[in-house]
């Protein structure tokens, strides 16, 4: 069967496009200058690429790098505070000097009789309802 005129024209256009594409590919291969000039890039403190070198370099001591969790620093078991509330029923609260936290205490945990406003030293103990003070002594 004979092809129609439009089919022949479309086939000619297709062949012409393939030739042009092959010519462009060859031209790109011959004119390829990628890598001809070496570009050296730096990374700045924000993670961006720049062509200028960094001005200042900080030296890091390898012993200063800590891996894992921070070590637990042992704190002094004796705390200082002031008795801010004292009930007639035998309990009260001590306001700790460092953290300004109110800590419950009972008269049974006092080594000597205390009054409201006394400066005392004590130890913190975890109780079912929070922290409580034990071994309470007046500081002179």
């Amino acid at each position: 069967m004979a092809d129609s005129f439009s089919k022949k024209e479309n086939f000619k256009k297709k062949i012409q496009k393939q030739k042009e594409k092959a010519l462009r590919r060859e031209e790109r291969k011959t004119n390829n200058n990628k890598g001809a000039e070496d570009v050296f890039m730096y990374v700045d403190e924000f993670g961006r690429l720049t062509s200028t070198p960094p001005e200042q370099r900080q030296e890091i001591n390898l012993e200063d790098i800590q891996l894992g969790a921070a070590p637990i620093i042992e704190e002094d078991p004796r705390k200082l505070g002031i008795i801010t509330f004292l009930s007639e029923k035998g309990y009260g609260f001590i306001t700790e000097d460092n953290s300004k936290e109110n800590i419950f205490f009972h008269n049974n945990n006092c080594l000597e009789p205390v009054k409201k406003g006394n400066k005392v030293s004590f130890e913190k103990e975890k109780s079912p309802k929070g922290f409580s003070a034990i071994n309470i002594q007046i500081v002179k």
Side-chain angles (χ1 to χ4, degrees):
M1 282 256 272
D3 289 330
S4 67
F5 177 76
S6 62
K7 283 187 180 179
K8 288 181 187 176
E9 286 297 314
N10 286 341
F11 183 72
K12 286 181 186 177
K13 286 180 183 178
K14 185 177 178 181
I15 296 293
Q16 181 64 29
K17 284 184 180 179
Q18 288 176 351
K19 287 180 183 177
E20 288 173 0
K21 189 174 182 179
L23 281 174
R24 287 194 304 266
R25 187 180 316 125
E26 287 298 319
E27 185 178 322
R28 278 196 306 269
K29 284 183 184 179
T30 57
N31 294 337
N32 185 7
N33 59 358
K34 289 183 181 176
E37 121 185 9
D38 289 333
V39 178
F40 194 80
M41 299 298 284
Y42 299 95
V43 179
D44 66 2
E45 65 270 10
F46 303 110
R48 297 179 297 216
L49 293 175
T50 62
S51 59
T52 59
E55 295 176 7
Q56 185 178 358
R57 184 174 179 181
Q58 296 176 349
E59 293 294 326
I60 298 173
N61 189 1
L62 294 180
E63 287 89 31
D64 293 343
I65 298 174
Q66 177 183 338
L67 300 176
I72 298 172
I73 300 170
E74 190 66 31
E75 61 181 48
D76 186 22
R78 298 294 292 175
K79 310 274 188 200
L80 293 175
I82 297 175
I83 296 178
T84 54
F85 177 77
L86 185 60
S87 172
E88 297 165 358
K89 296 181 181 181
Y91 68 90
F93 289 94
I94 299 172
T95 301
E96 190 177 345
D97 285 346
N98 294 339
S99 65
K100 303 297 183 208
E101 177 184 5
N102 286 333
I103 299 160
F104 174 82
F105 77 93
H106 196 273
N107 279 343
N108 296 344
N109 295 327
C110 295
L111 301 177
E112 50 193 281
V114 294
K115 295 187 291 187
K116 182 178 176 183
N118 285 0
K119 186 162 182 82
V120 293
S121 69
F122 61 95
E123 295 178 16
K124 279 171 73 171
E125 176 184 63
K126 184 75 171 157
S127 67
K129 293 185 179 180
F131 285 106
S132 64
I134 59 171
N135 299 332
I136 302 168
Q137 291 179 327
I138 296 177
V139 176
K140 295 171 172 100

